[in-house]
Amino acid sequence: QLQLVESGGGLVQPGGSLRLSCSASGSIFSINGMGWYRQAPGKQRELVATITSGGSTNYAESVKDRFTISRDNAKNTVYLQMSGLKPEDTAVYFCNAEGTILYRGNLHVPVNSWGQGTQVTVSS
């Protein structure tokens, strides 16, 4: 179908930076929107940033001046550059992609997929 694999998470000090990557694979016909969501302990999953195939972006207000989302359509990969990290950014970050896959090699089927998540911990 459409598999998503994240990488780049880890432990970083407040004020530090990390870059997350998410690569999509499978029977892909096209990918429209891609994005990053996060979920902290005891909280609901929330939107961090999204980007369309045309490059239009959307950010949560809490990260707008610190994070940058980008994508490489040729590689089916989306990135999240995170700077000025705060302890409040600590969460599991999930990659999301919406698009169309090829079912049985020829049928076009809409799909919305999630990655397994990568842990980002901001702490001294």
Side-chain angles (χ1 to χ4, degrees), residues 9-60:
L11 175 65
V12 65
Q13 295 183 347
S17 299
L18 283 175
R19 190 176 83 146
L20 306 183
S21 299
C22 172
S23 296
S25 62
S27 301
I28 302 170
F29 179 78
S30 65
I31 297 177
N32 300 320
M34 301 188 79
W36 292 93
Y37 295 72
R38 66 187 183 187
Q39 187 166 21
K43 294 186 177 181
Q44 295 294 310
R45 189 171 299 183
E46 65 175 355
L47 180 148
V48 177
T50 61
I51 185 169
T52 68
S53 60
S56 297
T57 59
N58 179 43
Y59 296 91

Side-chain angles (χ1 to χ4, degrees), residues 56 86 89 94 118:
S56 297
K86 305 175 181 179
D89 296 317
F94 295 91
T118 185

Side-chain angles (χ1 to χ4, degrees), residues 67-85:
F67 293 7
T68 301
I69 189 170
S70 62
R71 66 188 285 176
D72 186 332
N73 292 336
K75 297 181 179 179
N76 290 322
T77 300
V78 63
Y79 307 93
L80 184 68
Q81 179 65 51
M82 304 184 293
S83 300
L85 284 163

Side-chain angles (χ1 to χ4, degrees), residues 87-103:
E88 305 92 273
D89 296 317
T90 296
V92 177
Y93 284 69
F94 295 91
C95 178
N96 173 257
E98 178 272 325
T100 302
I101 64 168
L102 295 176
Y103 181 66

